[in-house]
Amino acid sequence: MYAETAAKAQNSESRRRNNTKMKRITLVLLMLTVFLFVLTTIFSCNKIDEVEKIMTDETVFIEKQNEIDPESIISFSSKEDFGELYAFLFENQDREEFLVNYIKQNYSIQSVREIYNNGMKLYGTNEFKNYVSKYPKVFYKENTGDSEIYSFPGSSLMSYLLNTEAMLIVNDTLIKFTLDSLLVYKSERIDDGISNKIKVQELIEKRQSRIEVSRSSEVMLKQEEYSYKTAYWGDARRIVARLYKFYNRPPLNGNDWDARTTAQRRYLGVWIQENADAVGINHFGCSVSCYDGTTINLPAASWQYNNSSDIQRNIVNTGSSTPRPYPWSSCLINHTGLRNPTWIYVNNNQMFN
């Protein structure tokens, strides 16, 4: 009797232990399932994030802005029409205010050049930051080492033609500029009797639109040689001299060669733009020999802004041809800055090194 009772108790204990063991196994399996689900979800999210990161700015642009109001952008019916206006801009670039008003009156857009100039008048004030945030495609803050300079997309001449999104249209091609790239899209004008609009289609090409061409560089930017020369009024004030080459093709045949002078001051260890009494650019004539056998001879030219921090001018526009380097081509740029009563200079900055 006692043995039978003990056996039953032992069996009961064994079943209890087995049940406990099964519950533990079930709990472990459940926890493992939850863990695997969470892990899979995380990996899936990461994968989605990776896919989103892979999506280029160009793809996002097409998705977010595939229709454009024709009234908000300059549209040229042909490359020839574009070329004629570009030549007009080059011939009159010493009349900046005139050109800004000419574009506004004849094409009814607010150009990158107008927006940039108005913004830089506010530089150093509380209003400047808010103004810049309204036009993120116009103001690009370049951080180069310990230097901070605001730039606009495109070349000096192109800035008169670009709208607030840094775009223009030639024939059925939409061109969009960033600080250092040119994006070319296929576009189509749609007029269905109800609304007139421009539809952005696939990306045709992306290429670098700006490179710095000076070989005597002092700093590096994005692992590329950076045109950067300086002259000083002392420890805390200076000018920065730069030379740029802009690729404006395709479909805009031609290369722009720009010079730029920027006044800066050192503040808390960083060089930032600051108005000087004057900043300027000049040269005493240029001779440009191109690979197609043509030669471009330019007369002496000089530009100066008073009470300003920045000036940028197109020196040479070579059309569809490519200039040969120095000594076949030569254009010595002089950059100037004035803080009463002292002038400082970066002289003989060779455009075609």
Side-chain angles (χ1 to χ4, degrees), residues 130-282:
N130 292 332
Y131 187 86
V132 168
S133 65
K134 288 174 56 179
Y135 302 103
K137 304 298 175 60
V138 174
F139 293 90
Y140 291 94
K141 186 166 68 172
E142 296 186 64
N143 293 308
T144 310
D146 63 349
S147 180
E148 177 184 292
I149 293 178
Y150 281 87
S151 296
F152 51 77
S155 66
S156 178
L157 296 183
M158 192 64 71
S159 67
Y160 290 104
L161 304 179
L162 301 177
N163 67 359
T164 57
E165 296 293 316
M167 301 184 301
L168 62 86
I169 292 176
V170 179
N171 199 0
D172 61 351
T173 304
L174 182 141
I175 299 96
K176 178 178 174 62
F177 284 85
T178 64
L179 177 64
D180 56 6
S181 295
L182 179 150
L183 309 174
V184 183
Y185 298 89
K186 186 74 174 176
S187 67
E188 179 184 10
R189 184 178 288 270
I190 298 174
D191 188 351
D192 55 11
I194 301 175
S195 62
N196 184 13
K197 55 194 174 186
I198 296 170
K199 187 174 180 61
V200 182
Q201 299 176 331
E202 73 273 11
L203 177 71
I204 300 173
E205 184 171 356
K206 176 181 179 179
R207 64 169 56 191
Q208 186 182 34
S209 68
R210 178 173 85 172
I211 59 173
E212 327 262 349
V213 298
S214 175
R215 294 295 181 266
S216 53
S217 58
E218 296 178 3
V219 299
M220 304 295 286
L221 176 67
K222 297 179 182 177
Q223 299 179 351
E224 295 176 2
E225 198 163 29
Y226 195 76
S227 170
Y228 200 92
K229 294 184 177 181
T230 54
Y232 292 79
W233 281 289
D235 294 336
R237 299 289 191 278
R238 72 180 185 182
I239 59 171
V240 176
R242 299 184 179 191
L243 303 176
Y244 298 109
K245 177 183 179 181
F246 293 84
Y247 289 109
N248 287 332
R249 64 173 188 261
L252 310 178
N253 292 331
N255 298 326
D256 283 343
W257 302 76
D258 283 11
R260 184 180 185 186
T261 306
T262 307
Q264 293 184 311
R265 71 183 176 100
R266 193 173 183 87
Y267 179 72
L268 297 178
V270 178
W271 289 98
I272 60 175
Q273 285 179 237
E274 181 187 60
N275 284 356
D277 295 324
V279 287
I281 297 167
N282 69 75

Side-chain angles (χ1 to χ4, degrees), residues 119-134:
M120 295 315 295
K121 292 175 184 177
L122 300 174
Y123 189 80
T125 69
N126 294 330
E127 293 83 4
F128 178 72
K129 186 176 180 180
N130 292 332
Y131 187 86
V132 168
S133 65
K134 288 174 56 179

